[in-house]
Amino acid sequence: MRRPSFPLWLVSGFLYVFMYAPIVVVIVFSFNVAKHGGPWTGFTTEWYQQLLRPAYSIASELKVVEYREHIKQLELRTLFNKISEILLQPRNDKWSAAINTGILAFASTILATALGTMLGYGLSRYWFPGKKLFSLLMYIPVVIPDIVMAVAMLSFYAMVRDWLGLFELGMTTMIIAHITFQIPFVAIVVRSRLAGMDPAIEEAAHDLGASSWQTFWHVTFPLMLPGVLAGAMLAFTLSLDDFVVSFFTTGPGATTLPILIYSSVKRGITPDINALSTLIVLASVIGTLGVTLLQRPAKPSGG
Amino acid sequence: MAIQTPAIEVENLVRQFGDVFALDHVSVSIRKGEFFSLLGPSGCGKTTLLRCIGGLDIPDEGVIRIDGTDAREIPAHKRPVNTVFQSYALFPHLTVRGNIAFGLQMKKVAKPEIEERVKRVMDMVQIAKLADRKPAQLSGGQKQRVALARAIVNEPSVLLLDEPLGALDLKLRKELQIELLALQRRLGITFVYVTHDQEEALVMSDRIAVMRAGKIEQMGEAEALYENPRTRYVSTFLGSCNLLEATVRQRTPTGAVVQTTVGELRVEGSIPDRNKFTLAIRPEKVALCAPGESAGENRIKVKVVEVIYIGSETHYVLKAGEQPLSAEAMNVKVGHQGFDIGQDAVVHLPAAGLLVLDD
């Protein structure tokens, strides 16, 4: 490994400053006392407390639920209803946006991971006519601009609504739209994980008496699991950050955090928005770190 | 000896990849308990044949019988054979113990029995200490032992080995050759062993099939194959050989007198009807003498071009006129072996050592 020369240091230094300075500004000003933004007037955690206040009340309300009793009585449905009632109770606009973002991210990630994993496995392990074309088409949602994707989804929904009366804009349409752009990311990660696997490993399983199904569950799936999880984290992070597609496919009552932030900043950037953004950055960083850890290459089996 | 059902019977097997015949009407019968080697350079079809027997590749034509049963319709996971892969193909997410138990678990063998059999096999190949390690923590030789244990724990009727020692260094390779051979004798399992290493095939095999371009060129016991190669290809792939083009001068009751580039030679044995053929003689059958020393028939004057001293023996590159010849001699004398570069000498090609090849 060579040491970089001074000009290289300089260039990379600038690069990092440009990349991270805005984020640092957001984080720093989320601790600013001044209510309507503007110059630094002092340090406070007031905005975080405000944001997280509903979390405290939710925690205290959740504490009261008699879990043991419900589970003993097998009243799982009642228990589920109680918990979701506490979680979904409208508290303030930021909190319900956070809940919406969470529902959207979790629901779309789970479904996109299941579908994307199947797609990645199929593309890596089967041959069918038109496979090459299909592999290329899979990249379209990855490469086309979000705005085009968003407009396409919106007009598609409008068309289907005219014909069938389905797809009233709201959480469901947003979830479907997110799944659409998440699937290829999951599939690509899963497929590359499978491509790095020695094909003899699956043959060995067959040879040792495992049927196709046993081979998949006992060998292939455990080996591709890190890829599946990495794909899921990537999908989750993408959904969490998404503004454009959500903005176009959302309906009344289904505001997400990015949309909320967009509409608030039109009235000026306030420290509580900075605090909210900081929390979102934190969630994304955790997700990305997870992907990086899981994406480390499998330890080689030879040599 | 009673007539036994062969462990493996292959008839007219064909496997085509595009225009290339990986297997071109191959027929072979492998006896029970035999150590059978498929020897050939890469791309000769030996691995394809092994994969077809194991069910990992499907032949386009032909029949495969395992223990007398037609195996064509039996999928890989139901065949009574196991494979040791060239890349070992250990399951990276399982421990050594988990790898070895895999086959028995898939067959739903009772847990206590699995434990006992896994332990016994680990002791047999001396890896009991590694039981809880993952494959990534093993050396090449250890992985090889795990791959072997994982296969033999299932007590297959035939074990297929695809260049199992190919990735190991020479010393370890030689050790494991002996160990593998001892294991085979002890277990009595039929071994079908793929290798491109002719020495390895000679050391280990009861019988060897030399393959070339999807066909079996010659098959036989190691010694018979080495002493009586029938083609140029076999004579030079299995060991090395001096090849001489010969034209028949005169046929005699016991053989013939032929003209070659090194002069007139007397040849023994059955002589083909055609008048031109190739003669082969192994370098160690070429007897090198000093010019004055008396030697037998088929004497040829040569010049020593190169002397390669390798301890127990010396290899000589000679020239008889323009014809290069190689000779090998055991260094039985004490002290200097007696021939130097540039020296004139005489070789003697014993008639019994001159083999008439088919092509």
Side-chain angles (χ1 to χ4, degrees):
Chain A
M1 297 288 250
R2 294 188 306 158
R3 289 179 70 85
S5 61
F6 179 72
L8 204 58
W9 270 114
L10 208 67
V11 170
S12 18
F14 271 118
L15 240 137
Y16 276 95
V17 168
F18 274 114
M19 275 203 292
Y20 292 117
I23 298 173
V24 172
V25 168
V26 167
I27 295 173
V28 168
F29 278 83
S30 70
F31 295 102
N32 192 358
V33 172
K35 203 166 193 168
H36 301 289
W40 181 263
T41 49
F43 180 85
T44 178
T45 55
E46 167 66 20
W47 316 114
Y48 286 97
Q49 285 172 30
Q50 254 182 40
L51 279 177
L52 296 174
R53 199 158 294 142
Y56 294 130
S57 46
I58 285 175
S60 55
E61 279 173 53
L62 281 174
K63 247 185 232 162
V64 190
V65 180
E66 288 158 332
Y67 298 98
R68 266 206 206 131
E69 279 308 301
H70 286 304
I71 290 171
K72 250 186 217 160
Q73 309 284 324
L74 289 173
E75 295 163 344
L76 294 180
R77 211 190 169 88
T78 324
L79 183 66
F80 179 76
N81 287 342
K82 277 194 174 175
I83 293 174
S84 48
E85 196 186 310
I86 295 170
L87 286 177
L88 298 180
Q89 198 182 49
R91 289 163 201 276
N92 62 40
D93 56 341
K94 293 197 187 70
W95 187 256
S96 43
I99 291 284
N100 280 337
T101 308
I103 292 172
L104 172 63
F106 273 107
S108 62
T109 299
I110 289 167
L111 289 166
T113 304
L115 294 169
T117 300
M118 288 195 266
L119 181 59
Y121 182 80
L123 284 176
S124 141
R125 287 293 184 269
Y126 292 92
W127 185 88
F128 49 89
K131 178 174 167 176
K132 270 202 177 147
L133 181 70
F134 194 74
S135 310
L136 281 176
L137 286 177
M138 192 179 74
Y139 283 92
I140 286 183
V142 178
V143 294
I144 63 165
D146 278 2
I147 185 76
V148 177
M149 179 99 186
V151 169
M153 292 303 297
L154 185 64
S155 34
F156 175 73
Y157 287 147
M159 205 171 74
V160 176
R161 205 162 49 242
D162 281 349
W163 284 349
L164 304 169
L166 292 172
F167 292 151
E168 207 54 58
L169 291 181
M171 184 52 88
T172 318
T173 48
M174 218 163 26
I175 290 174
I176 295 172
H178 277 220
I179 291 173
T180 313
F181 72 72
Q182 286 168 324
I183 283 178
F185 286 96
V186 178
I188 289 165
V189 174
V190 168
R191 188 174 61 170
S192 76
R193 176 88 195 174
L194 283 168
M197 221 169 102
D198 180 2
I201 289 178
E202 278 165 297
E203 287 183 348
H206 261 298
D207 182 80
L208 291 165
S211 63
S212 303
W213 186 241
Q214 283 175 315
T215 302
F216 181 79
W217 271 120
H218 294 285
V219 176
T220 318
F221 189 71
L223 290 178
M224 69 190 218
L225 191 59
V228 173
L229 293 179
M233 290 231 176
L234 193 61
F236 189 82
T237 320
L238 286 171
S239 168
L240 211 60
D241 296 352
D242 177 73
F243 168 71
V244 179
V245 174
S246 304
F247 187 72
F248 275 73
T249 54
T250 190
T255 303
T256 63
L257 282 177
I259 296 174
L260 179 85
I261 292 171
Y262 174 70
S263 42
S264 327
V265 293
K266 283 196 275 192
R267 298 190 301 263
I269 300 164
T270 50
D272 57 337
I273 289 299
N274 283 334
L276 193 56
S277 307
T278 305
L279 291 178
I280 295 175
V281 168
L282 198 67
S284 299
V285 166
I286 290 170
T288 315
L289 276 180
V291 174
T292 318
L293 289 179
L294 290 166
Q295 278 288 75
R296 279 184 304 184
K299 281 174 190 164
S301 74
Chain B
M1 201 170 75
I3 295 170
Q4 267 190 327
T5 323
I8 303 276
E9 258 182 301
V10 168
E11 271 172 32
N12 281 316
L13 215 59
V14 174
R15 180 74 177 103
Q16 243 179 305
F17 296 110
D19 296 340
V20 182
F21 280 91
L23 294 174
D24 189 358
H25 299 89
V26 170
S27 297
V28 61
S29 169
I30 299 166
R31 295 192 276 260
K32 278 206 170 112
E34 186 173 29
F35 198 122
F36 190 89
S37 287
L38 295 167
L39 174 67
S42 53
C44 73
K46 56 193 193 304
T47 296
T48 307
L49 179 53
L50 200 76
R51 289 172 59 84
C52 285
I53 296 172
L56 299 173
D57 204 340
I58 309 297
D60 298 317
E61 282 173 44
V63 184
I64 297 170
R65 274 187 288 270
I66 300 172
D67 293 330
T69 315
D70 190 338
R72 277 177 299 182
E73 299 301 317
I74 307 175
H77 66 279
K78 291 190 176 147
R79 295 191 186 192
V81 302
N82 285 117
T83 307
V84 177
F85 291 84
Q86 186 172 13
S87 61
Y88 312 127
L90 300 178
F91 306 126
H93 60 301
L94 299 178
T95 59
V96 166
R97 195 196 305 276
N99 265 281
I100 299 172
F102 188 87
L104 299 175
Q105 284 165 352
M106 292 303 116
K107 286 177 206 101
K108 309 248 183 322
V109 174
K111 268 202 178 137
E113 192 189 334
I114 293 182
E115 227 165 85
E116 201 240 283
R117 279 167 71 176
V118 168
K119 194 182 169 312
R120 194 170 357 124
V121 170
M122 284 198 297
D123 286 338
M124 201 185 290
V125 299
Q126 301 157 33
I127 50 170
K129 278 187 206 151
L130 310 173
D132 297 314
R133 291 215 198 153
K134 289 279 182 72
Q137 299 164 290
L138 302 177
S139 72
Q142 290 168 336
K143 279 182 199 167
Q144 213 289 318
R145 285 166 193 268
V146 177
L148 189 66
R150 184 176 71 172
I152 61 177
V153 76
N154 301 291
E155 291 164 11
S157 68
V158 178
L159 189 66
L160 309 172
L161 302 103
D162 188 4
E163 309 220 12
L165 309 179
L168 305 175
D169 62 59
L170 189 65
K171 189 164 173 286
L172 193 57
R173 213 181 151 111
K174 297 219 160 170
E175 276 171 33
L176 281 173
Q177 281 175 9
I178 305 300
E179 242 179 86
L180 212 51
L181 194 57
L183 192 71
Q184 193 261 343
R185 299 274 184 263
R186 190 164 141 202
L187 296 171
I189 298 176
T190 311
F191 273 34
V192 182
Y193 193 97
V194 161
T195 180
H196 65 265
D197 181 335
Q198 46 105 3
E199 195 186 316
E200 191 165 287
L202 287 175
V203 169
M204 304 179 82
S205 320
D206 294 318
R207 282 196 305 157
I208 301 171
V210 180
M211 289 190 70
R212 176 194 192 183
K215 288 183 170 151
I216 292 181
E217 182 116 341
Q218 193 177 345
M219 185 159 60
E221 283 166 22
E223 187 179 321
L225 213 56
Y226 184 83
E227 292 295 328
N228 279 302
R230 280 205 309 266
T231 64
R232 283 164 168 263
Y233 177 76
V234 175
S235 72
T236 50
F237 194 79
L238 202 65
S240 56
C241 235
N242 292 300
L243 297 176
L244 301 167
E245 298 308 322
T247 312
V248 176
R249 272 291 161 81
Q250 187 195 341
R251 291 174 189 272
T252 64
T254 56
V257 174
V258 297
Q259 180 66 44
T260 69
T261 46
V262 298
E264 254 185 25
L265 297 175
R266 195 180 69 81
V267 182
E268 272 176 9
S270 67
I271 303 298
D273 288 337
R274 58 190 198 284
N275 273 332
K276 281 181 184 282
F277 47 78
T278 307
L279 282 177
I281 184 162
R282 295 283 184 197
E284 69 274 14
K285 306 275 195 287
V286 175
L288 185 62
C289 326
E293 266 179 275
S294 71
E297 59 189 339
N298 295 341
R299 288 169 59 105
I300 300 157
K301 278 187 184 158
V302 293
K303 202 171 198 80
V304 178
V305 178
E306 189 72 70
V307 178
I308 303 145
Y309 176 78
I310 53 168
S312 62
E313 53 192 282
T314 306
H315 296 181
Y316 299 96
V317 180
L318 313 167
K319 255 193 175 157
E322 283 307 301
Q323 173 72 47
L325 279 176
S326 59
E328 293 170 16
M330 292 303 293
N331 294 336
V332 288
K333 273 200 279 184
V334 178
H336 184 57
Q337 295 305 313
F339 295 97
D340 296 308
I341 294 172
Q343 192 180 338
D344 286 320
V346 170
V347 290
H348 152 54
L349 308 178
L354 284 166
L355 307 168
V356 179
L357 299 183
D358 288 349
D359 66 351

